[in-house]
Amino acid sequence: MAMSEAFLHLDPLLLSKSGANFGNRRNLGLVELHYNLRTSRSGLQSVSYFSTDRKNRAKGSCFLRCKCQKADSVSGVTADDGRPDSVSIYGMKNVNNVKEFELNQLLKSDKEGFANGTTNGVGTVINSKNSIEEEAWDLLKESVVYYCGNTIGTIAANDTSSSSILNYDQVFIRDFIPSGIAFLLKGEYDIVRNFILHTLQLQSWEKTMDCHSPGQGLMPASFKVRTVPLDGHDSVTEDVLDPDFGEAAIGRVAPVDSGLWWIILLRAYGKCTGDLSVQERVDVQTGIKMILKLCLADGFDMFPTLLVTDGSCMIDRRMGIHGHPLEIQALFYSALLCAREMLAPEDGSVDLIRALNNRLVALSFHIREYYWIDMKKLNEIYRYKTEEYSYDAVNKFNIYPDQIPPWLVEFMPARGGYLIGNLQPAHMDFRFFSLGNLWSIVSSLATVDQSHAILDLIEAKWSELVADMPLKICYPALEGEEWRIITGSDPKNTPWSYHNGGSWPTLLWQLTVACIKMNRPEIAERAVMLAERRISRDKWPEYYDTRRARFIGKQSRLFQTWSIAGYLVAKLLLANPSAAKVLINEEDSELVNAFSCMLSANPRKKRGRKEFKQPFII
Ligand code: GLC
């Protein structure tokens, strides 16, 4: 393809500013040529490129390029399924100029916002009173990553003191969610839009590990923007997005939560901006459907919960959460509801929507019935009969009462309850997992009573779950032989550290959304005040260790972006609670009806096979 022809074929939406990653901000090549070559699932390949040297570049054209490269333009050539099949990219430009321009714009609007009180689409008023908040905004902006000159995400941590970066210089999908929400609440929409559209492109990437490819709808755990020399051109670089679907991740864990979070953020973007054009795009609709198809695919499983391997969510190391971990179920439920709201009604989607509705009913029934424990239920389990072979067994999963751990007998308050971490045949994982419980409230997977009871429990067990720094990722820690066997003697997950009972400030934002939904914001306010006592002084750690969260985590990164963004989202939402609706799923009356039909066939009553004949079709 001739150069001029290549230029003509540039995808205007992808014709974005020359990218340099955050770490490469000062890198100025005399000539920058950007190109991208990718193979789509359909096997199509395309390469587009052009180059200019810097002296031919007028300042004006740089600004013009800045404008035309906004992600609005991420449309253009698409394959039959609506996804871009040509790849891309680019122009070149003085990276520093572009970045400085954008950063200055951001800083300028901040200053104006801070001075005047900025009102954004959902009416949040941001004021400048709080210096911790100001510091957090500055740090959040410093964590922004650019791709072809456009903001595209935030790096996981910006800890210059750490000698081992590992993949903390990448944009993690799950870590970006609080960043994205903070930007949305502040009226900075472009970064979220870019993130949504570019990660969508990664969904159809070729991905394999040892000759095996995971399902097509999988979203990466993280990606890195690499500025690399172009083959055969000494002084020419190209910008590439380099996703990790778990093929490089420690432990090769599958990021099941990424696609679910992506759907949740997409809905929040639409609700916050009022701009539904993104979710209505054919490629975005296809992306949603691909995620759903992957999650709704039939397998061998007997349960409506999503069956996953260990480490497939925020806890991305071996921690004994394989099977049906609560966090994944809550995100799954939330994503199904969000997707249902966004899917365009069309003939081709009827079966998918029916499958989705059936799953919603079955999933909420299963979790509300079988994952719930409080004093009453615990006492029932304590008196369970076992080895019941029949259709009307009360103890369906053959749980042996001796499984009730001694700590739980002490831990369970008289008032309050929670959803257990995992349920499998003959196994209940009684650990309390914060994110799963909080997101069950947010998504209405838990009933209203259950949601209040979870918050009651958090209040009653404040010194165990919140202590000196909100919030324990799970409780209690695995210790001794259990730690050795379940974690595989993981030195990072020693008792009361990291995923094993460590405390993660990022969870503040999910706590805040849950408290606002239940009209109990004072609980979140108390937690935020506690965090404010140390978090900035401690340099925004990723996590804290010890039972009471007294130490900064042993291997904790500092300036961890989602600790910063989580705090900001909590503050913004507490200042304007109605903005939380962009994340909340209200209980659906059709679902409640279907659910009560199931309940009237009370699972605790004797039940014959006949009653299961009818699938629930809404
Ligand atoms: C750790 C966390 C994971 C997070 C990543 C980047 O691997 O376990 O949840 O996404 O760091 O911060």
Side-chain angles (χ1 to χ4, degrees):
M1 192 186 286
M3 199 77 82
S4 56
E5 200 188 337
F7 181 78
L8 287 174
H9 281 77
L10 286 176
D11 181 342
L13 116 199
L14 292 172
L15 183 65
S16 41
K17 288 174 279 180
S18 136
N21 58 34
F22 178 77
N24 225 358
R25 215 191 290 173
R26 292 183 216 305
N27 176 19
L28 276 175
L30 268 185
V31 177
E32 290 175 6
L33 178 145
H34 295 269
Y35 112 125
N36 200 351
L37 167 62
R38 288 292 180 239
T39 309
S40 71
R41 284 257 160 209
S42 59
L44 291 173
Q45 282 194 347
S46 87
V47 182
S48 312
Y49 63 91
F50 68 100
S51 90
T52 330
D53 63 42
R54 199 191 297 161
K55 60 182 183 228
N56 291 334
R57 234 177 308 145
K59 249 195 177 165
S61 69
C62 172
F63 287 124
L64 188 65
R65 190 167 301 286
C66 297
K67 279 192 193 138
C68 74
Q69 288 162 352
K70 293 220 179 263
D72 321 330
S73 46
V74 184
S75 56
V77 185
T78 53
D80 290 349
D81 65 357
R83 335 197 101 234
D85 63 11
S86 85
V87 250
S88 10
I89 322 241
Y90 324 94
M92 63 271 61
K93 83 261 103 209
N94 180 326
V95 175
N96 280 2
N97 283 352
V98 174
K99 288 189 156 189
E100 271 162 29
F101 169 73
E102 288 204 341
L103 266 181
N104 287 340
Q105 291 296 95
L106 262 177
L107 288 169
K108 193 167 152 249
S109 65
D110 280 349
K111 282 199 186 115
E112 284 161 4
F114 286 143
N116 310 330
T118 303
T119 305
N120 67 19
V122 284
T124 302
V125 175
I126 298 149
N127 66 49
S128 60
K129 300 283 147 47
N130 186 325
S131 63
I132 303 182
E133 255 177 281
E134 281 182 22
E135 183 198 340
W137 275 117
D138 288 345
L139 292 170
L140 186 61
K141 273 176 297 196
E142 279 171 31
S143 74
V144 168
V145 173
Y146 290 78
Y147 175 59
C148 299
N150 288 322
T151 56
I152 191 181
T154 49
I155 45 168
N158 203 357
D159 184 358
T160 47
S161 68
S162 172
S163 53
S164 99
I165 293 173
L166 298 173
N167 49 358
Y168 282 85
D169 61 347
Q170 303 203 7
V171 180
F172 277 74
I173 307 307
R174 73 176 71 87
D175 293 41
F176 180 73
I177 307 304
S179 299
I181 303 294
F183 285 121
L184 286 178
L185 294 175
K186 186 144 186 286
E188 303 281 351
Y189 304 144
D190 283 1
I191 185 169
V192 181
R193 184 189 163 86
N194 293 341
F195 172 87
I196 289 170
L197 293 175
H198 284 292
T199 47
L200 176 68
Q201 290 183 301
L202 300 177
Q203 189 187 31
S204 54
W205 229 242
E206 291 294 347
K207 44 206 176 227
T208 51
M209 188 195 143
D210 298 342
C211 307
H212 175 73
S213 298
Q216 256 199 54
L218 191 70
M219 284 281 189
S222 62
F223 64 83
K224 189 171 168 64
V225 180
R226 294 187 196 281
T227 303
V228 295
L230 183 63
D231 285 350
H233 299 260
D234 282 353
S235 53
V236 177
T237 62
E238 62 171 330
D239 243 15
V240 289
L241 286 181
D242 187 3
D244 179 8
F245 292 90
E247 323 97 297
I250 296 168
R252 303 295 185 261
V253 280
V256 178
D257 61 340
S258 289
L260 307 174
W261 277 123
W262 183 86
I263 290 179
I264 293 167
L265 183 66
L266 175 65
R267 170 180 176 262
Y269 173 86
K271 283 203 167 273
C272 208
T273 60
D275 167 19
L276 302 185
S277 67
V278 175
Q279 66 191 49
E280 285 166 1
R281 286 167 54 131
V282 182
D283 54 346
V284 173
Q285 288 280 316
T286 306
I288 298 173
K289 286 183 210 158
M290 278 170 67
I291 296 170
L292 293 181
K293 278 186 189 149
L294 189 58
C295 293
L296 295 171
D298 289 335
F300 290 109
D301 209 13
M302 295 290 287
F303 304 159
T305 34
L306 206 55
L307 179 64
V308 299
T309 48
D310 211 346
S312 53
C313 53
M314 176 184 184
I315 295 178
D316 55 359
R317 293 168 85 90
R318 181 170 155 186
M319 265 293 289
I321 58 164
H322 48 83
H324 309 95
L326 179 66
E327 176 180 332
I328 289 290
Q329 313 315 322
L331 292 175
F332 180 34
Y333 189 76
S334 185
L336 288 178
L337 286 173
C338 294
R340 193 171 65 161
E341 255 179 69
M342 295 186 292
L343 277 176
E346 53 173 35
D347 292 350
S349 309
V350 173
D351 288 347
L352 186 66
I353 293 178
R354 179 174 299 132
L356 184 158
N357 278 322
N358 284 338
R359 195 63 174 259
L360 278 169
V361 177
L363 184 59
S364 65
F365 177 82
H366 185 89
I367 296 283
R368 291 169 176 197
E369 276 296 304
Y370 306 129
Y371 276 58
W372 182 253
I373 51 164
D374 52 14
M375 268 311 267
K376 184 164 166 275
K377 183 69 185 286
L378 206 52
N379 209 153
E380 250 176 56
I381 299 171
Y382 182 70
R383 292 164 52 79
Y384 264 166
K385 290 195 184 63
T386 58
E387 317 298 337
E388 298 173 282
Y389 178 82
S390 67
Y391 290 110
D392 41 20
V394 173
N395 180 7
K396 289 198 179 67
F397 308 108
N398 203 31
I399 305 296
Y400 299 103
D402 276 357
Q403 263 178 57
I404 297 175
W407 65 264
L408 183 56
V409 180
E410 300 306 314
F411 181 73
M412 184 61 82
R415 184 189 154 105
Y418 66 96
L419 297 164
I420 58 167
N422 212 324
L423 175 70
Q424 302 195 69
H427 173 77
M428 286 176 109
D429 181 345
F430 287 104
R431 282 174 292 173
F432 173 85
F433 287 87
S434 296
L435 179 48
N437 272 282
L438 294 174
W439 212 260
S440 298
I441 298 176
V442 173
S443 62
S444 294
L445 175 57
T447 65
V448 173
D449 287 349
Q450 288 174 344
S451 300
H452 277 300
I454 294 167
L455 295 183
D456 289 342
L457 177 119
I458 291 175
E459 283 195 299
K461 294 288 146 183
W462 194 261
S463 57
E464 284 86 349
L465 300 176
V466 184
D468 283 8
M469 177 58 69
L471 187 65
K472 281 253 154 42
I473 194 167
C474 68
Y475 182 93
L478 299 168
E479 303 193 63
E481 196 63 355
E482 239 187 347
W483 165 79
R484 201 180 61 75
I485 295 169
I486 295 178
T487 72
S489 303
D490 184 348
K492 197 163 175 182
N493 272 335
T494 50
W496 309 106
S497 181
Y498 201 48
H499 300 136
N500 189 13
S503 297
W504 292 64
T506 187
L507 294 169
L508 259 184
W509 79 270
Q510 288 104 339
L511 173 70
T512 305
V513 184
C515 291
I516 289 175
K517 176 167 185 245
M518 302 318 294
N519 206 13
R520 294 168 71 174
E522 65 287 350
I523 302 175
E525 272 160 13
R526 209 174 136 202
V528 168
M529 273 164 63
L530 202 58
E532 280 176 336
R533 294 206 310 222
R534 305 181 54 180
I535 195 161
S536 153
R537 200 184 61 204
D538 290 347
K539 305 201 174 81
W540 306 91
E542 178 187 16
Y543 65 95
Y544 286 79
D545 284 357
T546 76
R547 266 175 188 269
R548 286 200 55 93
R550 302 195 74 181
F551 295 162
I552 297 172
K554 229 179 341 192
Q555 295 187 42
S556 169
R557 294 294 179 294
L558 302 179
F559 301 108
Q560 181 80 18
T561 304
W562 68 357
S563 300
I564 297 163
Y567 166 76
L568 281 173
V569 172
K571 290 294 275 191
L572 291 168
L573 292 180
L574 287 171
N576 179 20
S578 68
K581 64 180 181 293
V582 306
L583 293 157
I584 288 170
N585 304 107
E586 292 299 346
E587 187 151 58
D588 179 297
S589 55
E590 281 176 9
L591 276 180
V592 178
N593 282 343
F595 185 74
S596 53
C597 287
M598 291 193 82
L599 262 191
S600 58
N602 187 341
R604 307 243 172 93
K605 279 196 211 144
K606 302 222 163 190
R607 179 161 53 200
R609 195 180 196 176
K610 272 179 275 167
E611 288 168 82
F612 271 121
K613 259 194 198 153
Q614 290 294 322
F616 285 87
I617 296 174
I618 298 171

